[in-house]
Amino acid sequence: GFMSNYWTNYRSILTAAGHTPKTIFDQPGNHDHWLDTGLSNYKKHSIQGKATGATHHAWTLQLPFGDYHFVGLDTSSGSLSPSEKSWALAQLTAGAGARQSMLFGHHPLSSIDSGGSFRQALANEKALAYFFGHNHKASASTRTWTSGGVLLWIGQTLGKPLSTLGEAEFCVVALDNDGLSVRPFDLGFSGGSYQLKWPAVQITAPLDLGLGGSGQNPYAYPVSSAAKDNPIRALVFSDTAPYQVTASVDNSAPFGLKQVTPGGALWEGTFDGALLGSGVTHTLSVTASAGSNSDTHTITFKASATTACSDAQDNDGDKLVDFPADPGCSGLFDSDERDPPALIVIPDAGLG
């Protein structure tokens, strides 16, 4: 809050890393509010505060295939006034044409929306997720879905001792064909500093049925038990080139995935759904090996003989139904009506 030397160091780190108002959106937290209720140091030293003079922010990521809308809330006082909530909802309304909208803040919504009306309003505005910090450590109640289909997700801290708070972590948030995936990655502590464990794998397709709680993801689609080419996509991050990336379905023998672009993070492959039982939960694991290290990400999904592109329903709300009418369908066995895949990666370095 009032300790200007901390703020000066913070800004020098970001400046040295080449960050600008176009690359980072830093939101204030309760410690920034401490003995500085007007957030004068935030407005003087932070990337966004200095650039805009504001503490709430909204921005749009414009890509060739569509827009993605983000809203940053200043909850540093521990509350949001009615006018601040109205501002946030107005930003979501203004971004209604975006393919997805997400919000970020410091405090959990449970502490600033005791009655739940704001959470329901976010759902009404088609917000996909709210990411926050403050409590420092994750629990089942801080990584869950609202009844209206908004993911509430806490980013576990990077800035507190492991001995008091358990593992430090960062999260990667990805949108694949507008479907959300989030995975936390633990940071080890060695030699007096945090050590990122490479490689790091994140499955983006199929969507994880277990995101936000076992079997709870309302947007997880069933893969086709009739298709022989159900897609797998995964992100692989590493400090050295992975020499092998493999997948396994229900503990099957591992099979290889291919790197989409040389040197890129995206890997893909397919699997045959013929052996999958419909209506039951299955597992998909992707493992990347780099040097002597490896990492595995495992998700759950369900299979169905009827898919989104053959169920006589408008699953993506574009008023077009199934293959071949919906351009998001590559065939009758396609599990997702949404438009052709687009992958966006949003790193979260901890919101605690």
Side-chain angles (χ1 to χ4, degrees), residues 239-270:
D239 56 348
T240 60
Y243 63 79
Q244 188 176 41
V245 178
T246 62
S248 175
V249 178
D250 290 342
N251 297 313
S252 68
F255 53 93
L257 301 184
K258 294 182 178 181
Q259 196 171 29
V260 174
T261 303
L266 183 60
W267 293 69
E268 66 179 8
T270 62

Side-chain angles (χ1 to χ4, degrees), residues 27-49:
Q27 290 300 129
N30 60 298
H31 287 268
D32 304 319
H33 188 270
W34 184 46
L35 298 182
D36 185 12
T37 56
L39 296 175
S40 60
N41 273 313
Y42 171 83
K43 294 174 183 177
K44 182 178 180 180
H45 298 289
S46 73
I47 295 287
Q48 289 299 323

Side-chain angles (χ1 to χ4, degrees), residues 209 222-225 276-282 301-306:
L209 184 63
V223 305
S224 173
S225 59
L276 299 177
S278 294
V280 298
T281 301
H282 301 275
F301 66 92
K302 287 189 176 181
S304 174
T306 301

Side-chain angles (χ1 to χ4, degrees), residues 306-318 320-323 326 329 337:
T306 301
T307 69
C309 288
S310 63
D311 63 358
Q313 297 185 48
D314 177 16
N315 301 97
D316 59 353
D318 63 0
L320 300 172
V321 177
D322 292 351
F323 179 80
D326 195 316
C329 293
E337 276 193 354

Side-chain angles (χ1 to χ4, degrees), residues 86-110:
S86 295
W87 176 88
L89 296 176
Q91 299 307 308
L92 292 174
T93 299
R99 295 173 68 110
Q100 293 290 12
S101 294
M102 292 183 278
L103 299 96
F104 298 83
H106 184 77
H107 290 79
L109 288 183
S110 58

Side-chain angles (χ1 to χ4, degrees), residues 157-206:
T157 189
L158 286 176
K160 291 286 185 177
L162 293 174
S163 59
T164 60
L165 290 168
E167 284 292 332
E169 68 177 24
F170 71 96
C171 296
V172 172
V173 181
L175 293 173
D176 184 337
N177 204 10
D178 293 343
L180 180 67
S181 64
V182 186
R183 188 188 178 196
F185 293 91
D186 290 339
L187 293 178
F189 193 74
S190 177
S193 63
Y194 296 106
Q195 302 292 327
L196 181 59
K197 304 170 185 176
W198 299 110
V201 180
Q202 180 164 332
I203 298 171
T204 64

